[in-house]
């Protein structure tokens, strides 16, 4: 609590101070997401669609080179996600994006996932690198994780174990293709009717 002398001194020092007319600061966002970009992001395309335009080359959720990345869609069992995260699923396909441009990487990620799905390969690895020397840092890593979240056929992904590339690589689990799902249904129906 101020003594009377301190209060008088404060009032004397503030006597010539005028109040600010406007105390509201207008903050402009550096980057405004357009409605078209928002629609593309919300559309979360399937691999069968084939259109890569919804995967942005302009905007990504930026991460750091050493960040551990994880993503799981609703409906993916925790035990399945944990097993993938621990590297317990066999990896039958691997894509290395080192020395690729963002545009090349986007094309290759989509083609790689499509082909893996068509061949009924459900768990793959994508090596994006940590991006410690890129400008901005972790550029490729940031875009790859953003793209994977936008592809609805990607069920989950997680940074790899150290021996598989650590935070410079991802284990990715994809859905069965519609054709493979139908074949499985047909097999079950035929087996049940037999």
């Amino acid at each position: 609590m101020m003594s009377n002398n301190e209060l008088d001194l404060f009032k004397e020092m503030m006597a010539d101070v005028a109040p600010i007319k406007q105390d509201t600061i207008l903050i402009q966002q550096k980057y405004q997401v357009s409605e078209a970009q928002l629609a593309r992001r919300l559309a979360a395309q399937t691999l069968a669609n084939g259109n890569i335009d919804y995967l942005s080359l302009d905007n990504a959720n930026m991460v750091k080179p050493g960040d551990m990345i994880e993503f799981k869609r609703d409906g993916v069992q925790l035990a399945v996600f944990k097993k993938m995260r621990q590297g317990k699923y066999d990896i039958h396909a691997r894509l290395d994006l080192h020395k690729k441009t963002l545009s090349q990487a986007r094309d290759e990620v989509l083609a790689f996932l499509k082909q893996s799905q068509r061949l009924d390969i459900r768990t793959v690895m994508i090596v994006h690198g940590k991006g410690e020397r890129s400008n901005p840092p972790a550029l490729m890593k940031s875009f790859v994780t953003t793209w994977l979240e936008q592809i609805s056929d990607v069920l989950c992904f997680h940074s790899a174990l150290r021996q598989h590339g650590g935070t410079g690589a991802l284990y990715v689990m994809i859905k069965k293709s519609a054709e493979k799902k139908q074949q499985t249904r047909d097999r079950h129906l035929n087996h049940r009717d037999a």
Side-chain angles (χ1 to χ4, degrees):
M1 190 147 172
M2 280 193 211
S3 68
N4 284 340
N5 288 342
E6 289 175 331
L7 186 57
D8 290 339
L9 180 62
F10 179 75
K11 286 180 180 178
E12 184 181 317
M13 292 176 76
M14 295 293 138
D16 62 342
V17 174
I20 298 174
K21 291 181 181 172
Q22 178 184 354
D23 64 351
T24 306
I25 299 173
L26 296 175
I27 299 175
Q28 293 183 342
Q29 287 182 318
K30 220 177 184 182
Y31 181 80
Q32 187 74 23
V33 178
S34 72
E35 286 186 35
Q37 288 172 322
L38 197 56
R40 285 194 300 261
R41 192 179 301 161
L42 295 174
Q45 301 286 328
T46 64
L47 292 171
N49 180 319
N51 181 6
I52 63 168
D53 291 337
Y54 69 95
L55 299 177
S56 174
L57 292 172
D58 301 321
N59 188 26
N61 300 323
M62 297 307 287
V63 297
K64 295 180 181 145
D67 284 355
M68 182 72 68
I69 304 297
E70 64 179 12
F71 173 82
K72 180 182 84 65
R73 290 204 191 281
D74 291 340
V76 175
Q77 296 175 0
L78 285 175
V80 170
F81 183 63
K82 182 179 178 183
K83 189 174 175 181
M84 185 203 61
R85 176 180 85 212
Q86 294 172 338
K88 292 186 177 179
Y89 287 111
D90 290 336
I91 305 295
H92 295 288
R94 183 177 182 271
L95 175 65
D96 190 340
L97 298 174
H98 282 97
K99 299 186 188 222
K100 304 287 184 198
T101 66
L102 283 179
S103 181
Q104 291 169 335
R106 180 181 70 171
D107 294 349
E108 289 193 25
V109 165
L110 202 54
F112 172 70
L113 293 175
K114 275 183 179 180
Q115 182 180 17
S116 297
Q117 189 179 55
R118 194 173 59 249
L119 296 172
D120 202 26
I121 298 172
R122 303 280 311 283
T123 307
V124 299
M125 180 182 290
I126 298 178
V127 180
H128 47 66
K130 292 180 184 179
E132 293 171 323
R133 291 175 285 205
S134 69
N135 187 16
L139 184 68
M140 183 68 72
K141 179 177 183 173
S142 300
F143 273 90
V144 168
T145 57
T146 299
W147 296 332
L148 292 176
E149 287 179 22
Q150 293 174 346
I151 300 171
S152 62
D153 284 344
V154 172
L155 296 173
C156 55
F157 54 89
H158 197 282
S159 293
L161 297 174
R162 184 184 315 206
Q163 64 267 29
H164 296 143
T167 58
L170 291 169
Y171 300 130
V172 181
M173 183 174 287
I174 55 179
K175 288 181 182 178
K176 277 186 181 179
S177 68
E179 291 172 10
K180 294 294 179 184
K181 282 183 188 177
Q182 187 59 46
Q183 289 173 1
T184 303
R185 279 189 217 115
D186 292 346
R187 256 196 324 268
H188 286 295
L189 288 173
N190 290 338
H191 179 64
R192 194 175 69 189
D193 292 341

